[in-house]
Amino acid sequence: AFEGLSRADQARLFVDINQNQKRVSPNLLWDLKEDIYAGTNDPDLRCELIISKIGKALASCEESPLFRSVDVPSLPHLAPSAPVTLNTLCYTIQKSGILGSDYYQALSLPVDEAVSLISTGLMTHFSFFAENMKEDWRKGKSGFTRSSNGVASLIWLFRQALHYLNYHESSH
């Protein structure tokens, strides 16, 4: 990046970058991971790629109860005042360990198959709450179930259900 610049220009550029840099928002980072990690063979980065794509699928699929409810920087037309951020979805999926425990055996699948499998499971899970708690769901961030905290809680509940079913199956 500094090739062809004088030492003084290099120094000015270095100071300018480091003095004026701004932190990249976690929401934007999750949005970029789909592009940055495409084709990676690193297992940890592959998990982040899958999680990013799951978050975007939940946000942009018309069949998803979270359609037009998630702030995705590269898709601002979908949800200009969304109650949930892509960061909330992705960070919670990551921390819940849904992929780490590999309840779906998704880590051995091609990326798009893993994304489809897990996002379909989450859409079904969210649909249950959207249908059975309609009044609260419609409130978005004014309610609980479709707010950032509500969606994060529902992801953890999903993980616990998978954990229980996996344990119950393996013990019988």
Side-chain angles (χ1 to χ4, degrees):
F2 293 125
E3 232 174 81
L5 293 177
S6 71
R7 286 189 63 68
D9 286 339
Q10 288 180 29
R12 267 193 293 283
L13 185 57
F14 177 82
V15 169
D16 187 47
I17 288 170
N18 289 295
Q19 207 169 35
N20 298 318
Q21 69 182 347
K22 291 184 181 176
R23 184 174 177 200
V24 177
S25 82
N27 209 39
L28 179 57
L29 286 175
W30 278 110
D31 194 14
L32 293 172
K33 287 180 183 189
E34 179 180 4
D35 298 321
I36 295 169
Y37 300 149
T40 186
N41 291 322
D42 180 293
D44 293 333
L45 300 180
R46 189 172 183 277
C47 276
E48 290 189 20
L49 166 66
I50 291 169
I51 292 168
S52 174
K53 292 182 79 145
I54 290 168
K56 288 181 182 181
L58 292 170
S60 63
C61 177
E62 290 185 23
E63 290 78 37
S64 171
L66 293 175
F67 179 62
R68 295 190 183 276
S69 298
V70 181
D71 173 18
V72 179
S74 64
L75 304 170
H77 62 284
L78 282 182
S81 60
V84 180
T85 64
L86 181 63
N87 179 55
T88 297
L89 282 177
C90 295
Y91 179 78
T92 307
I93 291 169
Q94 182 182 45
K95 291 300 176 193
S96 72
I98 292 169
L99 266 79
S101 301
D102 206 16
Y103 296 112
Y104 280 98
Q105 285 86 42
L107 297 178
S108 60
L109 297 173
V111 169
D112 288 338
E113 285 182 43
V115 170
S116 177
L117 186 64
I118 296 169
S119 61
T120 299
L122 282 165
M123 282 184 214
T124 302
H125 178 70
F126 287 125
S127 291
F128 174 83
F129 292 93
E131 287 298 316
N132 291 289
M133 299 180 79
K134 286 180 186 175
E135 188 176 324
D136 187 69
W137 189 266
R138 284 189 198 121
K139 290 179 182 177
K141 59 183 156 191
S142 299
F144 178 72
T145 52
R146 202 165 49 108
S147 68
S148 283
N149 289 334
V151 167
S153 298
L154 292 176
I155 290 170
W156 278 101
L157 179 62
F158 179 73
R159 185 260 184 213
Q160 287 302 106
L162 290 176
H163 181 73
Y164 172 79
L165 293 171
N166 189 52
Y167 172 78
H168 188 71
E169 247 181 45
S170 65
S171 66
H172 283 50

